[in-house]
CSV table of all heavy atoms in Angstrom, one decimal:
chain,number,residue,atom,x,y,z
A,1,MET,N,-198.5,-30.0,56.5
A,1,MET,CA,-197.2,-29.8,55.9
A,1,MET,C,-196.6,-28.5,56.3
A,1,MET,O,-197.3,-27.5,56.3
A,1,MET,CB,-197.4,-29.8,54.3
A,1,MET,CG,-196.1,-29.9,53.5
A,1,MET,SD,-195.3,-31.5,53.6
A,1,MET,CE,-196.4,-32.5,52.7
A,2,ALA,N,-195.4,-28.5,56.7
A,2,ALA,CA,-194.7,-27.3,57.2
A,2,ALA,C,-193.6,-26.9,56.2
A,2,ALA,O,-193.0,-27.8,55.5
A,2,ALA,CB,-194.1,-27.5,58.5
A,3,LYS,N,-193.3,-25.6,56.0
A,3,LYS,CA,-192.2,-25.2,55.2
A,3,LYS,C,-191.2,-24.5,56.1
A,3,LYS,O,-191.5,-23.5,56.7
A,3,LYS,CB,-192.8,-24.2,54.1
A,3,LYS,CG,-191.8,-23.9,53.1
A,3,LYS,CD,-192.4,-23.0,52.0
A,3,LYS,CE,-191.5,-22.8,50.8
A,3,LYS,NZ,-192.2,-21.9,49.8
A,4,SER,N,-190.0,-25.1,56.2
A,4,SER,CA,-189.0,-24.6,57.0
A,4,SER,C,-187.8,-24.1,56.2
A,4,SER,O,-187.4,-24.8,55.3
A,4,SER,CB,-188.5,-25.7,58.0
A,4,SER,OG,-189.5,-26.1,58.8
A,5,ILE,N,-187.4,-22.9,56.5
A,5,ILE,CA,-186.2,-22.3,55.9
A,5,ILE,C,-185.1,-22.3,56.9
A,5,ILE,O,-185.2,-21.6,57.9
A,5,ILE,CB,-186.5,-20.9,55.3
A,5,ILE,CG1,-187.7,-21.0,54.3
A,5,ILE,CG2,-185.3,-20.3,54.6
A,5,ILE,CD1,-188.2,-19.6,53.9
A,6,ILE,N,-184.0,-23.0,56.5
A,6,ILE,CA,-182.9,-23.2,57.4
A,6,ILE,C,-181.7,-22.5,56.9
A,6,ILE,O,-181.3,-22.7,55.7
A,6,ILE,CB,-182.6,-24.7,57.6
A,6,ILE,CG1,-183.9,-25.5,58.1
A,6,ILE,CG2,-181.5,-24.9,58.6
A,6,ILE,CD1,-183.8,-27.0,57.9
A,7,ASN,N,-181.0,-21.7,57.7
A,7,ASN,CA,-179.7,-21.1,57.2
A,7,ASN,C,-178.6,-22.0,57.5
A,7,ASN,O,-178.4,-22.5,58.6
A,7,ASN,CB,-179.5,-19.8,58.0
A,7,ASN,CG,-180.6,-18.7,57.7
A,7,ASN,OD1,-180.8,-18.3,56.5
A,7,ASN,ND2,-181.3,-18.3,58.7
A,8,VAL,N,-177.8,-22.3,56.4
A,8,VAL,CA,-176.8,-23.3,56.5
A,8,VAL,C,-175.5,-22.7,55.9
A,8,VAL,O,-175.5,-22.1,54.8
A,8,VAL,CB,-177.2,-24.6,55.7
A,8,VAL,CG1,-176.0,-25.6,55.7
A,8,VAL,CG2,-178.4,-25.2,56.3
A,9,ASP,N,-174.4,-22.9,56.6
A,9,ASP,CA,-173.1,-22.4,56.1
A,9,ASP,C,-172.3,-23.6,55.7
A,9,ASP,O,-172.4,-24.7,56.2
A,9,ASP,CB,-172.4,-21.6,57.2
A,9,ASP,CG,-171.4,-20.6,56.6
A,9,ASP,OD1,-171.3,-20.5,55.4
A,9,ASP,OD2,-170.7,-20.0,57.4
A,10,GLY,N,-171.4,-23.4,54.7
A,10,GLY,CA,-170.5,-24.4,54.3
A,10,GLY,C,-170.8,-25.1,53.0
A,10,GLY,O,-170.1,-25.9,52.5
A,11,MET,N,-172.0,-24.7,52.4
A,11,MET,CA,-172.4,-25.3,51.1
A,11,MET,C,-171.7,-24.5,50.0
A,11,MET,O,-171.8,-23.3,50.0
A,11,MET,CB,-173.9,-25.2,51.0
A,11,MET,CG,-174.7,-25.9,52.1
A,11,MET,SD,-176.5,-25.8,51.8
A,11,MET,CE,-176.8,-24.1,51.8
A,12,ALA,N,-171.0,-25.2,49.1
A,12,ALA,CA,-170.2,-24.5,48.2
A,12,ALA,C,-170.5,-24.8,46.7
A,12,ALA,O,-170.3,-24.0,45.8
A,12,ALA,CB,-168.7,-24.7,48.4
A,13,CYS,N,-171.0,-26.0,46.5
A,13,CYS,CA,-171.1,-26.4,45.1
A,13,CYS,C,-172.2,-27.4,44.9
A,13,CYS,O,-173.0,-27.7,45.8
A,13,CYS,CB,-169.8,-27.0,44.6
A,13,CYS,SG,-169.4,-28.6,45.4
A,14,GLU,N,-172.4,-27.9,43.6
A,14,GLU,CA,-173.5,-28.8,43.3
A,14,GLU,C,-173.4,-30.1,44.1
A,14,GLU,O,-174.4,-30.7,44.4
A,14,GLU,CB,-173.5,-29.1,41.8
A,14,GLU,CG,-174.0,-27.9,41.0
A,14,GLU,CD,-175.4,-27.5,41.5
A,14,GLU,OE1,-176.3,-28.3,41.6
A,14,GLU,OE2,-175.6,-26.3,41.6
A,15,HIS,N,-172.1,-30.5,44.5
A,15,HIS,CA,-172.0,-31.7,45.3
A,15,HIS,C,-172.7,-31.5,46.6
A,15,HIS,O,-173.3,-32.4,47.1
A,15,HIS,CB,-170.5,-32.0,45.5
A,15,HIS,CG,-170.3,-33.1,46.5
A,15,HIS,ND1,-170.4,-34.4,46.1
A,15,HIS,CD2,-170.0,-33.1,47.8
A,15,HIS,CE1,-170.1,-35.2,47.2
A,15,HIS,NE2,-169.9,-34.4,48.2
A,16,CYS,N,-172.5,-30.3,47.2
A,16,CYS,CA,-173.1,-30.0,48.5
A,16,CYS,C,-174.6,-30.1,48.4
A,16,CYS,O,-175.3,-30.6,49.2
A,16,CYS,CB,-172.7,-28.7,49.0
A,16,CYS,SG,-170.9,-28.5,49.2
A,17,VAL,N,-175.1,-29.5,47.3
A,17,VAL,CA,-176.6,-29.4,47.0
A,17,VAL,C,-177.1,-30.9,47.0
A,17,VAL,O,-178.1,-31.2,47.6
A,17,VAL,CB,-176.9,-28.7,45.7
A,17,VAL,CG1,-178.3,-28.8,45.4
A,17,VAL,CG2,-176.5,-27.2,45.8
A,18,LYS,N,-176.4,-31.7,46.2
A,18,LYS,CA,-176.8,-33.1,46.1
A,18,LYS,C,-176.8,-33.9,47.4
A,18,LYS,O,-177.7,-34.6,47.7
A,18,LYS,CB,-175.9,-33.8,45.1
A,18,LYS,CG,-176.4,-33.8,43.6
A,18,LYS,CD,-177.2,-35.1,43.3
A,18,LYS,CE,-178.2,-34.9,42.2
A,18,LYS,NZ,-177.5,-34.4,40.9
A,19,ALA,N,-175.7,-33.6,48.2
A,19,ALA,CA,-175.6,-34.4,49.4
A,19,ALA,C,-176.7,-34.0,50.4
A,19,ALA,O,-177.3,-34.9,51.0
A,19,ALA,CB,-174.2,-34.0,50.0
A,20,ILE,N,-177.0,-32.8,50.4
A,20,ILE,CA,-178.1,-32.3,51.4
A,20,ILE,C,-179.5,-32.8,50.8
A,20,ILE,O,-180.3,-33.3,51.6
A,20,ILE,CB,-178.1,-30.8,51.6
A,20,ILE,CG1,-176.9,-30.4,52.4
A,20,ILE,CG2,-179.4,-30.3,52.2
A,20,ILE,CD1,-176.6,-29.0,52.6
A,21,GLN,N,-179.7,-32.6,49.5
A,21,GLN,CA,-181.0,-33.1,49.0
A,21,GLN,C,-181.2,-34.6,49.2
A,21,GLN,O,-182.3,-35.0,49.5
A,21,GLN,CB,-181.1,-32.7,47.5
A,21,GLN,CG,-181.4,-31.2,47.3
A,21,GLN,CD,-181.5,-30.9,45.8
A,21,GLN,OE1,-180.9,-31.5,45.0
A,21,GLN,NE2,-182.3,-29.9,45.5
A,22,THR,N,-180.1,-35.3,49.0
A,22,THR,CA,-180.3,-36.8,49.2
A,22,THR,C,-180.5,-37.2,50.6
A,22,THR,O,-181.4,-38.0,50.9
A,22,THR,CB,-179.0,-37.5,48.6
A,22,THR,OG1,-178.8,-37.1,47.3
A,22,THR,CG2,-179.1,-39.0,48.7
A,23,ALA,N,-179.7,-36.6,51.5
A,23,ALA,CA,-179.8,-37.0,52.9
A,23,ALA,C,-181.1,-36.5,53.5
A,23,ALA,O,-181.8,-37.3,54.2
A,23,ALA,CB,-178.6,-36.4,53.7
A,24,VAL,N,-181.5,-35.3,53.3
A,24,VAL,CA,-182.7,-34.7,53.9
A,24,VAL,C,-183.9,-35.3,53.2
A,24,VAL,O,-184.9,-35.6,53.9
A,24,VAL,CB,-182.7,-33.2,53.9
A,24,VAL,CG1,-184.0,-32.7,54.4
A,24,VAL,CG2,-181.5,-32.6,54.7
A,25,GLY,N,-183.8,-35.5,51.9
A,25,GLY,CA,-184.9,-36.1,51.2
A,25,GLY,C,-185.2,-37.5,51.6
A,25,GLY,O,-186.4,-38.0,51.3
A,26,ALA,N,-184.3,-38.2,52.2
A,26,ALA,CA,-184.5,-39.6,52.6
A,26,ALA,C,-185.3,-39.7,53.9
A,26,ALA,O,-185.7,-40.8,54.3
A,26,ALA,CB,-183.2,-40.3,52.7
A,27,LEU,N,-185.4,-38.6,54.6
A,27,LEU,CA,-186.1,-38.6,55.9
A,27,LEU,C,-187.6,-38.8,55.6
A,27,LEU,O,-188.1,-38.2,54.7
A,27,LEU,CB,-185.8,-37.3,56.7
A,27,LEU,CG,-184.4,-37.0,57.1
A,27,LEU,CD1,-184.2,-35.6,57.6
A,27,LEU,CD2,-183.9,-38.0,58.1
A,28,SER,N,-188.3,-39.5,56.5
A,28,SER,CA,-189.7,-39.7,56.3
A,28,SER,C,-190.5,-38.5,56.5
A,28,SER,O,-190.2,-37.6,57.3
A,28,SER,CB,-190.2,-40.8,57.2
A,28,SER,OG,-190.3,-40.3,58.5
A,29,GLY,N,-191.5,-38.2,55.6
A,29,GLY,CA,-192.3,-37.1,55.8
A,29,GLY,C,-191.8,-35.8,55.1
A,29,GLY,O,-192.4,-34.8,55.1
A,30,VAL,N,-190.6,-36.0,54.4
A,30,VAL,CA,-190.0,-34.8,53.7
A,30,VAL,C,-190.5,-34.9,52.2
A,30,VAL,O,-190.2,-35.9,51.6
A,30,VAL,CB,-188.5,-34.8,53.8
A,30,VAL,CG1,-187.9,-33.7,52.9
A,30,VAL,CG2,-188.1,-34.6,55.2
A,31,SER,N,-191.1,-33.9,51.7
A,31,SER,CA,-191.6,-33.9,50.4
A,31,SER,C,-190.8,-33.1,49.4
A,31,SER,O,-190.8,-33.4,48.2
A,31,SER,CB,-193.1,-33.5,50.3
A,31,SER,OG,-193.2,-32.2,50.8
A,32,SER,N,-190.0,-32.1,49.9
A,32,SER,CA,-189.2,-31.4,49.0
A,32,SER,C,-188.0,-30.7,49.7
A,32,SER,O,-188.2,-30.3,50.9
A,32,SER,CB,-190.0,-30.4,48.1
A,32,SER,OG,-190.2,-29.2,48.9
A,33,VAL,N,-186.9,-30.6,49.0
A,33,VAL,CA,-185.7,-30.0,49.6
A,33,VAL,C,-185.1,-29.1,48.5
A,33,VAL,O,-184.8,-29.5,47.4
A,33,VAL,CB,-184.6,-31.0,50.0
A,33,VAL,CG1,-183.4,-30.3,50.7
A,33,VAL,CG2,-185.2,-32.1,50.9
A,34,ALA,N,-185.1,-27.8,48.8
A,34,ALA,CA,-184.5,-26.8,47.9
A,34,ALA,C,-183.3,-26.1,48.5
A,34,ALA,O,-183.4,-25.6,49.6
A,34,ALA,CB,-185.6,-25.8,47.4
A,35,VAL,N,-182.2,-26.1,47.8
A,35,VAL,CA,-181.0,-25.5,48.3
A,35,VAL,C,-180.7,-24.3,47.5
A,35,VAL,O,-180.7,-24.3,46.3
A,35,VAL,CB,-179.8,-26.5,48.3
A,35,VAL,CG1,-178.5,-25.8,48.8
A,35,VAL,CG2,-180.0,-27.7,49.1
A,36,ASP,N,-180.4,-23.1,48.2
A,36,ASP,CA,-180.0,-21.9,47.5
A,36,ASP,C,-178.6,-21.6,48.0
A,36,ASP,O,-178.4,-21.1,49.2
A,36,ASP,CB,-181.0,-20.8,47.9
A,36,ASP,CG,-180.8,-19.5,47.1
A,36,ASP,OD1,-179.6,-19.2,46.8
A,36,ASP,OD2,-181.8,-18.9,46.7
A,37,LEU,N,-177.7,-21.8,47.1
A,37,LEU,CA,-176.3,-21.6,47.5
A,37,LEU,C,-176.0,-20.1,47.8
A,37,LEU,O,-175.2,-19.8,48.7
A,37,LEU,CB,-175.3,-22.1,46.4
A,37,LEU,CG,-175.2,-23.6,46.2
A,37,LEU,CD1,-174.3,-23.9,45.1
A,37,LEU,CD2,-174.6,-24.2,47.5
A,38,GLU,N,-176.6,-19.2,47.0
A,38,GLU,CA,-176.3,-17.8,47.2
A,38,GLU,C,-176.8,-17.2,48.5
A,38,GLU,O,-176.2,-16.5,49.2
A,38,GLU,CB,-176.9,-17.0,46.0
A,38,GLU,CG,-176.0,-16.0,45.4
A,38,GLU,CD,-176.5,-15.6,44.0
A,38,GLU,OE1,-177.4,-14.8,43.9
A,38,GLU,OE2,-175.9,-16.2,43.1
A,39,LYS,N,-178.1,-17.6,48.8
A,39,LYS,CA,-178.7,-17.2,50.1
A,39,LYS,C,-178.3,-18.0,51.3
A,39,LYS,O,-178.6,-17.7,52.4
A,39,LYS,CB,-180.2,-17.2,49.9
A,39,LYS,CG,-180.8,-16.2,49.0
A,39,LYS,CD,-182.3,-16.2,48.9
A,39,LYS,CE,-182.9,-15.3,47.9
A,39,LYS,NZ,-184.3,-15.6,47.6
A,40,LYS,N,-177.6,-19.2,51.0
A,40,LYS,CA,-177.2,-20.1,52.0
A,40,LYS,C,-178.4,-20.6,52.8
A,40,LYS,O,-178.4,-20.6,54.1
A,40,LYS,CB,-176.2,-19.5,53.0
A,40,LYS,CG,-174.9,-19.1,52.3
A,40,LYS,CD,-173.9,-18.5,53.4
A,40,LYS,CE,-172.6,-18.2,52.7
A,40,LYS,NZ,-171.6,-17.7,53.7
A,41,THR,N,-179.4,-21.0,52.1
A,41,THR,CA,-180.6,-21.6,52.8
A,41,THR,C,-181.0,-22.9,52.2
A,41,THR,O,-180.7,-23.3,51.1
A,41,THR,CB,-181.8,-20.7,52.6
A,41,THR,OG1,-182.1,-20.5,51.2
A,41,THR,CG2,-181.6,-19.3,53.2
A,42,VAL,N,-181.6,-23.7,53.1
A,42,VAL,CA,-182.2,-25.0,52.7
A,42,VAL,C,-183.7,-24.9,53.0
A,42,VAL,O,-184.0,-24.7,54.2
A,42,VAL,CB,-181.5,-26.2,53.4
A,42,VAL,CG1,-182.2,-27.5,53.0
A,42,VAL,CG2,-180.0,-26.2,53.1
A,43,THR,N,-184.5,-25.0,52.1
A,43,THR,CA,-186.0,-24.9,52.3
A,43,THR,C,-186.6,-26.3,52.2
A,43,THR,O,-186.4,-27.0,51.2
A,43,THR,CB,-186.6,-24.0,51.2
A,43,THR,OG1,-186.0,-22.7,51.3
A,43,THR,CG2,-188.1,-23.8,51.5
A,44,VAL,N,-187.2,-26.7,53.3
A,44,VAL,CA,-187.7,-28.1,53.3
A,44,VAL,C,-189.2,-28.1,53.6
A,44,VAL,O,-189.7,-27.4,54.5
A,44,VAL,CB,-187.0,-28.9,54.5
A,44,VAL,CG1,-187.5,-30.3,54.5
A,44,VAL,CG2,-185.5,-28.8,54.3
A,45,GLU,N,-189.9,-28.8,52.8
A,45,GLU,CA,-191.3,-29.1,53.1
A,45,GLU,C,-191.4,-30.4,53.7
A,45,GLU,O,-191.0,-31.4,53.2
A,45,GLU,CB,-192.2,-29.0,51.8
A,45,GLU,CG,-192.3,-27.6,51.3
A,45,GLU,CD,-193.3,-27.5,50.1
A,45,GLU,OE1,-193.0,-28.2,49.1
A,45,GLU,OE2,-194.3,-26.7,50.2
A,46,HIS,N,-192.0,-30.4,54.9
A,46,HIS,CA,-192.1,-31.7,55.7
A,46,HIS,C,-193.3,-31.8,56.5
A,46,HIS,O,-193.9,-30.8,56.9
A,46,HIS,CB,-190.8,-31.9,56.5
A,46,HIS,CG,-190.6,-30.8,57.5
A,46,HIS,ND1,-190.7,-31.0,58.9
A,46,HIS,CD2,-190.4,-29.4,57.4
A,46,HIS,CE1,-190.5,-29.9,59.5
A,46,HIS,NE2,-190.3,-28.9,58.6
A,47,VAL,N,-193.6,-33.0,56.9
A,47,VAL,CA,-194.7,-33.2,57.9
A,47,VAL,C,-194.0,-33.2,59.3
A,47,VAL,O,-193.2,-34.1,59.6
A,47,VAL,CB,-195.4,-34.6,57.7
A,47,VAL,CG1,-196.5,-34.9,58.7
A,47,VAL,CG2,-195.9,-34.7,56.2
A,48,PRO,N,-194.3,-32.2,60.1
A,48,PRO,CA,-193.6,-32.0,61.4
A,48,PRO,C,-193.8,-33.2,62.3
A,48,PRO,O,-192.8,-33.5,63.1
A,48,PRO,CB,-194.3,-30.8,62.0
A,48,PRO,CG,-194.9,-30.1,60.8
A,48,PRO,CD,-195.3,-31.1,59.8
A,49,GLU,N,-194.9,-33.9,62.2
A,49,GLU,CA,-195.1,-35.1,63.1
A,49,GLU,C,-194.2,-36.2,62.7
A,49,GLU,O,-193.9,-37.1,63.5
A,49,GLU,CB,-196.6,-35.5,63.1
A,49,GLU,CG,-197.6,-34.5,63.7
A,49,GLU,CD,-197.9,-33.3,62.7
A,49,GLU,OE1,-197.6,-33.5,61.5
A,49,GLU,OE2,-198.4,-32.3,63.2
A,50,ALA,N,-193.8,-36.3,61.5
A,50,ALA,CA,-193.0,-37.4,61.0
A,50,ALA,C,-191.5,-37.0,61.2
A,50,ALA,O,-190.7,-37.8,61.6
A,50,ALA,CB,-193.3,-37.7,59.5
A,51,THR,N,-191.1,-35.8,60.8
A,51,THR,CA,-189.8,-35.4,60.9
A,51,THR,C,-189.8,-33.9,61.3
A,51,THR,O,-190.3,-33.0,60.6
A,51,THR,CB,-189.0,-35.5,59.5
A,51,THR,OG1,-189.0,-36.8,59.1
A,51,THR,CG2,-187.6,-35.0,59.6
A,52,SER,N,-189.2,-33.7,62.5
A,52,SER,CA,-189.2,-32.4,63.1
A,52,SER,C,-188.1,-31.5,62.5
A,52,SER,O,-187.2,-32.0,61.9
A,52,SER,CB,-189.0,-32.5,64.6
A,52,SER,OG,-187.7,-32.9,64.9
A,53,LEU,N,-188.2,-30.2,62.7
A,53,LEU,CA,-187.2,-29.3,62.2
A,53,LEU,C,-185.8,-29.7,62.8
A,53,LEU,O,-184.8,-29.6,62.2
A,53,LEU,CB,-187.6,-27.9,62.6
A,53,LEU,CG,-186.6,-26.8,62.2
A,53,LEU,CD1,-186.3,-26.8,60.7
A,53,LEU,CD2,-187.2,-25.4,62.5
A,54,ASP,N,-185.8,-30.1,64.1
A,54,ASP,CA,-184.5,-30.4,64.8
A,54,ASP,C,-183.9,-31.6,64.1
A,54,ASP,O,-182.7,-31.7,63.9
A,54,ASP,CB,-184.8,-30.7,66.3
A,54,ASP,CG,-184.8,-29.5,67.1
A,54,ASP,OD1,-184.4,-28.4,66.6
A,54,ASP,OD2,-185.2,-29.6,68.3
A,55,THR,N,-184.7,-32.6,63.7
A,55,THR,CA,-184.2,-33.8,63.0
A,55,THR,C,-183.5,-33.4,61.7
A,55,THR,O,-182.4,-33.9,61.4
A,55,THR,CB,-185.3,-34.8,62.8
A,55,THR,OG1,-185.9,-35.2,64.0
A,55,THR,CG2,-184.8,-36.1,62.1
A,56,ILE,N,-184.2,-32.5,61.0
A,56,ILE,CA,-183.6,-32.0,59.7
A,56,ILE,C,-182.3,-31.3,59.9
A,56,ILE,O,-181.3,-31.5,59.2
A,56,ILE,CB,-184.6,-31.1,59.0
A,56,ILE,CG1,-185.9,-32.0,58.6
A,56,ILE,CG2,-184.0,-30.5,57.8
A,56,ILE,CD1,-187.0,-31.1,58.2
A,57,LYS,N,-182.3,-30.4,60.9
A,57,LYS,CA,-181.0,-29.7,61.2
A,57,LYS,C,-179.9,-30.7,61.6
A,57,LYS,O,-178.8,-30.5,61.2
A,57,LYS,CB,-181.3,-28.7,62.4
A,57,LYS,CG,-182.1,-27.5,62.0
A,57,LYS,CD,-182.3,-26.6,63.1
A,57,LYS,CE,-183.0,-25.3,62.7
A,57,LYS,NZ,-183.3,-24.4,63.9
A,58,ASN,N,-180.2,-31.7,62.4
A,58,ASN,CA,-179.2,-32.7,62.8
A,58,ASN,C,-178.7,-33.4,61.6
A,58,ASN,O,-177.5,-33.7,61.5
A,58,ASN,CB,-179.8,-33.7,63.8
A,58,ASN,CG,-179.9,-33.1,65.2
A,58,ASN,OD1,-179.3,-32.1,65.5
A,58,ASN,ND2,-180.8,-33.7,66.0
A,59,GLU,N,-179.5,-33.7,60.7
A,59,GLU,CA,-179.1,-34.4,59.5
A,59,GLU,C,-178.2,-33.6,58.6
A,59,GLU,O,-177.2,-34.1,58.1
A,59,GLU,CB,-180.4,-34.9,58.6
A,59,GLU,CG,-180.0,-35.7,57.4
A,59,GLU,CD,-179.3,-37.0,57.8
A,59,GLU,OE1,-179.8,-37.7,58.7
A,59,GLU,OE2,-178.4,-37.3,57.1
A,60,ILE,N,-178.5,-32.3,58.5
A,60,ILE,CA,-177.6,-31.4,57.8
A,60,ILE,C,-176.2,-31.3,58.4
A,60,ILE,O,-175.2,-31.3,57.7
A,60,ILE,CB,-178.3,-30.0,57.6
A,60,ILE,CG1,-179.5,-30.1,56.7
A,60,ILE,CG2,-177.3,-29.0,57.1
A,60,ILE,CD1,-180.4,-28.8,56.7
A,61,GLU,N,-176.2,-31.2,59.7
A,61,GLU,CA,-174.9,-31.2,60.5
A,61,GLU,C,-174.2,-32.5,60.3
A,61,GLU,O,-173.0,-32.5,60.2
A,61,GLU,CB,-175.2,-30.8,61.9
A,61,GLU,CG,-175.7,-29.4,62.0
A,61,GLU,CD,-175.6,-28.8,63.4
A,61,GLU,OE1,-175.8,-29.5,64.4
A,61,GLU,OE2,-175.2,-27.6,63.5
A,62,ASP,N,-174.9,-33.6,60.3
A,62,ASP,CA,-174.3,-34.9,60.1
A,62,ASP,C,-173.6,-35.0,58.8
A,62,ASP,O,-172.6,-35.7,58.6
A,62,ASP,CB,-175.3,-36.1,60.2
A,62,ASP,CG,-175.7,-36.4,61.7
A,62,ASP,OD1,-175.0,-35.8,62.6
A,62,ASP,OD2,-176.6,-37.1,61.9
A,63,GLN,N,-174.1,-34.2,57.8
A,63,GLN,CA,-173.5,-34.2,56.5
A,63,GLN,C,-172.2,-33.3,56.4
A,63,GLN,O,-171.5,-33.3,55.4
A,63,GLN,CB,-174.5,-33.8,55.4
A,63,GLN,CG,-175.7,-34.7,55.2
A,63,GLN,CD,-175.2,-36.1,54.8
A,63,GLN,OE1,-174.4,-36.2,53.9
A,63,GLN,NE2,-175.7,-37.1,55.4
A,64,GLY,N,-172.0,-32.6,57.5
A,64,GLY,CA,-170.8,-31.8,57.6
A,64,GLY,C,-171.0,-30.3,57.4
A,64,GLY,O,-170.0,-29.6,57.2
A,65,TYR,N,-172.2,-29.9,57.4
A,65,TYR,CA,-172.5,-28.4,57.2
A,65,TYR,C,-172.9,-27.8,58.5
A,65,TYR,O,-173.3,-28.5,59.4
A,65,TYR,CB,-173.6,-28.3,56.1
A,65,TYR,CG,-173.1,-28.9,54.8
A,65,TYR,CD1,-173.7,-30.2,54.5
A,65,TYR,CD2,-172.2,-28.4,54.0
A,65,TYR,CE1,-173.2,-30.8,53.3
A,65,TYR,CE2,-171.8,-29.0,52.9
A,65,TYR,CZ,-172.3,-30.2,52.5
A,65,TYR,OH,-171.9,-30.9,51.4
A,66,GLU,N,-172.8,-26.5,58.6
A,66,GLU,CA,-173.1,-25.8,59.8
A,66,GLU,C,-174.5,-25.1,59.7
A,66,GLU,O,-174.7,-24.3,58.9
A,66,GLU,CB,-172.0,-24.7,60.1
A,66,GLU,CG,-172.2,-24.1,61.5
A,66,GLU,CD,-171.2,-23.0,61.7
A,66,GLU,OE1,-170.4,-22.7,60.9
A,66,GLU,OE2,-171.3,-22.3,62.8
A,67,VAL,N,-175.4,-25.5,60.6
A,67,VAL,CA,-176.7,-24.9,60.7
A,67,VAL,C,-176.5,-23.6,61.6
A,67,VAL,O,-176.0,-23.6,62.7
A,67,VAL,CB,-177.7,-25.8,61.4
A,67,VAL,CG1,-179.0,-25.1,61.6
A,67,VAL,CG2,-177.9,-27.0,60.5
A,68,LEU,N,-176.9,-22.5,61.0
A,68,LEU,CA,-176.7,-21.2,61.7
A,68,LEU,C,-177.9,-20.8,62.6
A,68,LEU,O,-179.0,-21.3,62.4
A,68,LEU,CB,-176.5,-20.1,60.6
A,68,LEU,CG,-175.3,-20.3,59.7
A,68,LEU,CD1,-175.3,-19.2,58.6
A,68,LEU,CD2,-174.0,-20.3,60.5
B,101,CU,CU1,-169.7,-28.8,47.6
């Protein structure tokens, strides 16, 4: 299990939090998704062999947010 902290811009409200949690949480091997609006971070616990960090970043960008 890996813990990745991703810097993300464009998250503004609870809707953004939900959108990211739902989309990233649906990826296989992801066990938790925590969004910190103030710090602009998304912390993901995942099995790297199932879902890589790049896959998670792509999913966040697909949702309309900018990975920094
Ligand atoms: Cu929002």
Side-chain angles (χ1 to χ4, degrees):
M1 191 72 66
K3 189 176 190 179
S4 299
I5 301 173
I6 306 161
N7 294 302
V8 178
D9 206 5
M11 305 183 297
C13 67
E14 286 305 311
H15 172 81
C16 302
V17 173
K18 267 266 158 57
I20 288 175
Q21 281 182 330
T22 302
V24 176
L27 298 171
S28 74
V30 172
S31 61
S32 81
V33 184
V35 178
D36 189 321
L37 287 177
E38 224 159 85
K39 291 180 184 167
K40 297 183 178 181
T41 58
V42 178
T43 302
V44 184
E45 285 187 304
H46 60 113
V47 179
E49 293 78 15
T51 297
S52 68
L53 181 54
D54 277 349
T55 301
I56 295 168
K57 287 179 174 177
N58 285 337
E59 184 61 44
I60 292 171
E61 292 196 322
D62 282 351
Q63 295 299 314
Y65 305 100
E66 188 187 356
V67 174
L68 302 174

